[in-house]
Amino acid sequence: MLRRMLLAASASDLIRAMVVAAPPTAGVVARYVAGDDTAAAVAAATRLRARGLLVTLDYLGEDTTDADQAAAVAAEYVALLARLRADGLARGGAVEVSVKPTAIGLHLPEHGEKTAAANLARICAAARDAGTTVTADMEDHTHVEATLRLVRELRDDFPDLGCVIQSQLRRSLADCAELAGPRSRVRLCKGAYQAPEQLAFTTRAEVDRSFARCLPVLMSGRGYPMIATHDPRLIRITAAQAELTGRGHSGFEYQMLYGVRPAEQERLAGTGAQVRVYLPYGRDWYGYLVRRLAERPANLAFFLRSLASRS
Ligand code: FDA
């Protein structure tokens, strides 16, 4: 209920203005976001690499309704990839990028899909030049079909373009079966967006069970599974699946968010597993932060208490 209210409130411009201007916001943002610009992102990625972690960088922003802005986001990714290449961070895919399709035009009132495809192709080409990969994030249910179409289309030219499956959606088991083919990079997560009951499981238990059903389909498939969760039970099931399917450490990776369970990230990496940290940067952090707060009521309570004590 709280999660639903919070995700709905994230659309309010008034609440956005209050939160962005509030003094305690900076501390909470710093937990989840690398910083405002490329330099901060590269510095944080370098620190994570030194701790043996892989990285996927996300330039924050979503729901762009302006074609020039969508092109500017793509240009930022291209520049970032050039920088990662120059710094030797992209080599072997050690640092890759994650892209939200609505940030590069999917949501434009006209020619959205075409614009997003052209921008994503530019980013994929820059990633290939840098020796790394791109993963298309999955946003709310209204964009799932178009995002999967985008990925299918671009995979002809960029076969290692990754995509995301959200276990909260009822369709996801079928999507996993379709996407578990050779070379297919698929990130499995629970899903961070609100969706109607006809399309999505609504209780945590159902979403978790769906995750546990999708997992073996990817792990026993011929693609490259990227298992994105901080849930201790699902991490244990993933390790068991890796054992059962004989994938070995190089055949899949765990993924976790920057600022969430960092000790577990290092523990898993210490076992020899590949662990990739999702590392966002940029000024447009509001939507991302609200989703992180919605995932954990304790975060929200802390944040609201700080707001109240300063008002
Ligand atoms: P769950 O929410 O049950 O959390 C398990 C435990 O992890 C909690 O008990 C807590 O200890 C810790 N935890 C989780 N979230 C926390 C937080 N915000 N702050 C502090 N502790 C927290 N979603 C999506 O819809 N599209 C996408 O493209 C992606 N991409 C993505 C990439 C990566 C690398 C990750 C890890 C996650 C995503 N997600 C996502 C988000 C995902 O769908 C989901 O919302 C979060 O990962 C939280 O789900 P968990 O599986 O961690 O379980």
Side-chain angles (χ1 to χ4, degrees), residues 3 31-32 56 100 136-139 164 166 168 187 189-193 204 208 211 228-232 234 255-257 259-261 276-278 291-293 295-296 299:
R3 178 172 181 262
R31 172 175 175 186
Y32 293 109
T56 184
K100 288 203 169 21
D137 283 343
M138 191 59 83
E139 300 171 84
V164 178
Q166 299 157 321
Q168 72 174 121
R187 175 192 299 157
C189 68
K190 290 187 186 181
Y193 297 83
R204 275 182 180 270
D208 291 0
F211 197 113
T229 183
H230 316 90
D231 186 326
L234 292 173
Q255 295 193 343
M256 296 193 199
L257 302 175
V260 179
R261 303 200 68 204
R276 190 176 299 274
V277 178
Y278 186 100
R291 289 193 293 278
R292 298 298 75 82
L293 293 178
E295 274 153 13
R296 199 150 188 252
N299 292 346

Side-chain angles (χ1 to χ4, degrees), residues 1-310:
M1 174 69 158
L2 182 63
R3 178 172 181 262
R4 268 205 300 276
M5 279 168 53
L6 195 64
L7 291 176
S10 71
S12 156
D13 288 343
L14 180 65
I15 295 178
R16 172 190 286 257
M18 274 170 55
V19 170
V20 169
T25 300
V28 183
V29 174
R31 172 175 175 186
Y32 293 109
V33 175
D36 280 352
D37 54 20
T38 315
V42 170
T46 305
R47 287 194 295 274
L48 291 167
R49 287 296 298 130
R51 287 162 43 201
L53 299 163
L54 305 169
V55 177
T56 184
L57 274 165
D58 164 41
Y59 179 55
L60 288 164
E62 49 203 84
D63 291 335
T64 302
T65 50
D66 176 81
D68 291 341
Q69 170 62 14
V73 171
E76 166 68 28
Y77 273 106
V78 170
L80 170 68
L81 285 157
R83 172 75 188 271
L84 295 175
R85 180 187 192 177
D87 290 5
L89 286 166
R91 205 173 304 125
V95 179
E96 65 137 37
V97 296
S98 285
V99 180
K100 288 203 169 21
T102 69
I104 52 166
L106 190 64
H107 200 48
L108 293 183
E110 279 178 37
H111 311 301
E113 226 171 299
K114 215 170 140 198
T115 306
N119 283 328
L120 191 53
R122 276 175 68 199
I123 299 169
C124 287
R128 184 160 58 195
D129 288 349
T132 191
T133 49
V134 178
T135 300
D137 283 343
M138 191 59 83
E139 300 171 84
D140 79 10
H141 66 280
T142 61
H143 295 114
V144 170
E145 200 54 56
T147 299
L148 291 177
R149 256 199 315 273
L150 202 62
V151 169
R152 266 187 230 112
E153 184 189 321
L154 284 178
R155 275 187 173 176
D156 287 343
D157 290 331
F158 305 100
D160 55 11
L161 171 61
C163 68
V164 178
I165 299 295
Q166 299 157 321
S167 74
Q168 72 174 121
L169 297 183
R170 296 178 190 275
R171 59 177 289 164
S172 289
L173 189 61
D175 285 336
C176 284
E178 194 198 320
L179 286 159
R183 284 194 77 176
S184 176
R185 295 171 60 253
V186 180
R187 175 192 299 157
L188 177 63
C189 68
K190 290 187 186 181
Y193 297 83
Q194 192 88 281
E197 202 181 337
Q198 314 87 276
L199 302 179
F201 301 111
T202 50
T203 69
R204 275 182 180 270
E206 283 177 313
V207 173
D208 291 0
R209 279 198 293 273
S210 169
F211 197 113
R213 284 194 297 272
C214 289
L215 184 62
V217 175
L218 295 177
M219 294 294 277
S220 61
R222 299 179 64 201
Y224 181 75
M226 304 182 282
I227 309 304
T229 183
H230 316 90
D231 186 326
R233 205 156 45 125
L234 292 173
I235 291 170
R236 280 199 299 277
I237 297 175
T238 305
Q241 276 290 318
E243 190 87 18
L244 200 69
T245 55
R247 275 196 171 262
H249 288 316
S250 62
F252 77 105
E253 65 189 45
Y254 295 100
Q255 295 193 343
M256 296 193 199
L257 302 175
Y258 182 66
V260 179
R261 303 200 68 204
E264 176 65 0
Q265 295 170 13
E266 290 202 26
R267 184 196 69 78
L268 276 172
T271 67
Q274 300 191 93
V275 182
R276 190 176 299 274
V277 178
Y278 186 100
L279 180 61
Y281 76 100
R283 291 175 190 275
D284 197 358
W285 44 256
Y286 179 76
Y288 182 84
L289 180 74
V290 171
R291 289 193 293 278
R292 298 298 75 82
L293 293 178
E295 274 153 13
R296 199 150 188 252
N299 292 346
L300 181 63
F302 166 77
F303 185 62
L304 292 178
R305 267 200 310 276
S306 337
L307 275 182
S309 68
R310 282 161 209 247

